[in-house]
Amino acid sequence: REWWGDDRSLEARLPQLLKEGRAEVARTLLLSKAEPAHGVTLFYLGVCAGILEGEAAAVDPYEASIAAMPGLGIAYGNLVRAYLARQRTGDLERALVLAKTLASSQPEAAEPQYV
């Protein structure tokens, strides 16, 4: 099943809402209509958390996104940024390891992405 659940319009609406700075609306749509455990849904929830609550708040959704969909390269770069913002014990080391792995395996995804 696709991440947008029964509402395929989310595929185009979510990136547009985020570009317009409407992250709260995007998060509400994700929570009410999207597949909750899908990696793409979790990635977008991380983007919304980063915008609305600060990058550090996005760690958990990005980690969940990667766990659900390990091939979603853009989540890795954003998780590095979230670790650097959060700076809990071990976060800097995790960010460095993740950044090195990402840069060598998926250089196109090494920059943070939001949509």
Side-chain angles (χ1 to χ4, degrees):
R1 188 162 170 146
E2 295 292 344
W3 69 270
W4 56 74
D6 294 326
D7 188 353
R8 187 179 181 115
S9 73
L10 289 179
E11 185 179 24
R13 285 176 67 199
L14 246 310
Q16 187 60 39
L17 287 168
L18 293 170
K19 286 178 186 174
E20 293 170 357
R22 299 174 64 201
E24 188 62 52
V25 173
R27 181 162 58 185
T28 299
L29 285 173
L30 286 165
L31 294 173
S32 65
K33 296 187 175 217
E35 288 295 313
H38 196 287
V40 175
T41 299
L42 295 164
F43 168 77
Y44 276 128
L45 286 171
V47 172
C48 291
I51 292 168
L52 296 169
E53 302 160 40
E55 288 292 331
V59 169
D60 290 341
Y62 288 144
E63 286 179 338
S65 174
I66 290 166
M69 187 176 266
L72 190 60
I74 59 176
Y76 289 82
N78 288 17
L79 180 56
V80 168
R81 187 177 176 133
Y83 280 144
L84 292 173
R86 188 174 74 171
Q87 294 192 19
R88 286 189 190 160
T89 302
D91 280 352
L92 297 179
E93 292 81 7
R94 282 189 280 278
L96 180 59
V97 168
L98 193 57
K100 285 180 179 179
T101 302
L102 180 62
S104 65
S105 66
Q106 299 181 48
E108 71 283 356
E111 288 293 319
Q113 304 289 319
Y114 299 102
V115 289

